[in-house]
Amino acid sequence: MIKTYLGIDVGSISTKGVLITENREIIAHAYLRTQGQPIEAIKNLIKELFKDNKNIEIKGVGTTGSARRLAGVIVGADVIKNEIITHAVAATYFYPETRTIIEIGGQDSKIILLKDSVPVDFAMNTVCAAGTGSFLEHQAIRLGIPIEEFGDYALRAKKAATIAGRCTVFAESDMIHKTQLGIPIEEIIRGLCEAIVRNYLGTVAKGKDIQPLILFQGGVAANIGVKTAFERALGIEVIVPQHFLIMGAIGAAFIAQDYTQKTKSTKFIGENLLDINFKTKTFECRDCTNFCEVIETYKNTQIIDRYGDRCGKWSEKLPNII
Ligand code: SF4
């Protein structure tokens, strides 16, 4: 049996997972759409990762991403860590000199600044859709261009059309207007890539001391047009790591490995989690003016987790898993 560690990253748009060996070799990875159904996505991810890997023994599990807690209770995670930590761990493993991580995913973006491999500052933007993967995908569909070719279109342009970067609505109307003026599509797409970078640098990275070595991760890093626009704006090389889509999951697996090598045990439920009926329910607590939305996770009929209560009134009635 090959000893392996499982890392899972569940976000609002995508669910990612990896299996790594004790030598940190990636033997399987998967990237699926969450499609608003994180429990189904996690189960499908487990199926995908295990289908060609029957001769393995899971020695540790880590989860991350916005649904890390849900993923953690479902699979039986040994460690549950936020994306800042897991991205930093993976980035500095592959590139120890990393000082800046630019991460742009499906629905949010973040910047992580590191010193001596330790995150010292970060910022996230979960509010503005301009510049995220979803917006780029929407524009690709609208223009009838495969998203994989978007970056190449931008690189072919000799100059960029000016596209508003501060808001998706303005950006889209600008693009339509420029198309009507007969401006080549390549220039419009390059303009869009530059607008995404302007938006990022003017919001999430505003006031941050961006230093090399810079890694660009997350789904939007696949777009060479955006990478090039960052390099033009910053005047520094930007590196897209080989595993740019799954760095959070890799970091979670690494942390799980370090942790379980000390504890010598794992809480992993095993593949039989696929047969368990998990579901979540929410209720609003009105015991004070905070009106917290409390989320409960059920394993068949048993409540196995509660969170969302600011005072701990409900979650403290269950063992704390974080
Ligand atoms: S969970 Fe606690 S903080 Fe939230 S509404 Fe109820 S009593 Fe108030």
Side-chain angles (χ1 to χ4, degrees):
M1 295 287 252
I2 304 168
K3 291 176 181 164
T4 54
Y5 300 87
L6 170 63
I8 298 175
D9 178 356
V10 186
S12 53
I13 298 288
S14 59
T15 296
K16 289 85 66 178
V18 286
L19 284 173
I20 62 159
T21 64
E22 292 207 292
N23 296 328
R24 300 199 157 177
E25 182 196 342
I26 295 170
I27 57 166
H29 59 86
Y31 179 99
L32 306 173
R33 296 278 170 163
T34 308
Q35 294 182 316
Q37 297 187 304
I39 294 172
E40 280 312 301
I42 293 162
K43 285 185 170 182
N44 289 336
L45 185 84
I46 297 289
K47 277 187 218 158
E48 185 71 25
L49 289 172
F50 284 61
K51 72 175 187 213
D52 298 323
N53 292 289
K54 297 297 174 201
N55 191 29
I56 58 168
E57 180 189 3
I58 299 293
K59 302 294 284 180
V61 182
T63 60
T64 189
S66 55
R68 59 187 176 274
R69 180 157 179 147
L70 176 66
V73 289
I74 287 176
V75 300
D78 301 295
V79 289
I80 298 173
K81 295 287 177 188
N82 68 43
E83 304 95 299
I84 306 298
I85 302 293
T86 53
H87 278 278
V89 165
T92 53
Y93 176 78
F94 296 110
Y95 294 90
E97 304 301 317
T98 304
R99 294 286 309 276
T100 307
I101 300 171
I102 294 170
E103 212 266 343
I104 307 183
Q107 258 180 357
D108 60 18
S109 52
K110 58 181 90 65
I111 184 166
I112 307 168
L113 303 181
L114 302 122
K115 198 162 183 205
D116 301 327
S117 300
V118 176
V120 289
D121 193 10
F122 74 92
M124 288 182 80
N125 182 357
T126 54
V127 181
C128 177
T132 64
S134 307
F135 178 61
L136 266 179
E137 203 163 293
H138 172 71
Q139 294 310 321
I141 292 167
R142 196 179 61 75
L143 294 167
I145 296 170
I147 185 73
E148 305 77 37
E149 293 175 23
F150 230 54
D152 294 327
Y153 271 72
L155 289 195
R156 284 202 295 272
K158 294 210 171 32
K159 57 184 172 47
T162 306
I163 305 290
R166 66 192 179 283
C167 167
T168 54
V169 178
F170 286 119
E172 184 162 319
S173 63
D174 248 3
M175 289 175 73
I176 292 168
H177 180 61
K178 297 279 151 71
T179 311
Q180 287 162 348
L181 292 178
I183 292 174
I185 193 67
E186 286 83 357
E187 291 181 16
I188 293 172
I189 292 175
R190 178 169 158 183
L192 178 63
C193 294
E194 294 193 354
I196 284 165
V197 168
R198 264 200 323 280
N199 176 288
Y200 180 91
L201 295 176
T203 55
V204 68
K206 191 171 185 180
K208 301 292 181 199
D209 184 21
I210 296 175
Q211 294 287 334
L213 194 137
I214 304 173
L215 289 198
F216 183 18
Q217 305 178 170
V220 174
N223 189 315
I224 182 91
V226 179
K227 173 191 181 287
T228 308
F230 266 119
E231 289 177 329
R232 275 200 202 100
L234 296 169
I236 314 173
E237 185 192 10
V238 170
I239 295 168
V240 177
Q242 182 188 0
H243 302 296
F244 63 91
L245 273 179
I246 52 169
M247 292 293 266
I250 292 173
F254 287 173
I255 297 169
Q257 181 186 22
D258 290 343
Y259 180 79
T260 53
Q261 279 178 343
K262 287 188 210 120
T263 61
K264 310 277 184 218
S265 65
T266 179
K267 296 183 200 152
F268 181 51
I269 290 174
E271 265 189 274
N272 57 356
L273 73 89
L274 298 174
D275 302 321
I276 298 171
N277 179 25
F278 292 101
K279 61 175 182 276
T280 55
K281 285 186 186 171
T282 59
F283 68 90
E284 192 176 75
C285 176
R286 291 192 159 239
D287 291 356
C288 81
T289 50
N290 277 334
F291 291 175
C292 296
E293 187 181 30
V294 183
I295 298 136
E296 294 179 324
T297 306
Y298 285 77
K299 180 181 178 182
N300 297 321
T301 55
Q302 179 200 1
I303 298 178
I304 54 169
D305 189 33
R306 276 198 196 107
Y307 65 101
D309 49 341
R310 282 177 227 181
C311 66
K313 178 187 174 98
W314 300 97
S315 52
E316 279 169 9
K317 291 180 182 166
L318 290 162
N320 193 355
I321 57 149
I322 298 269

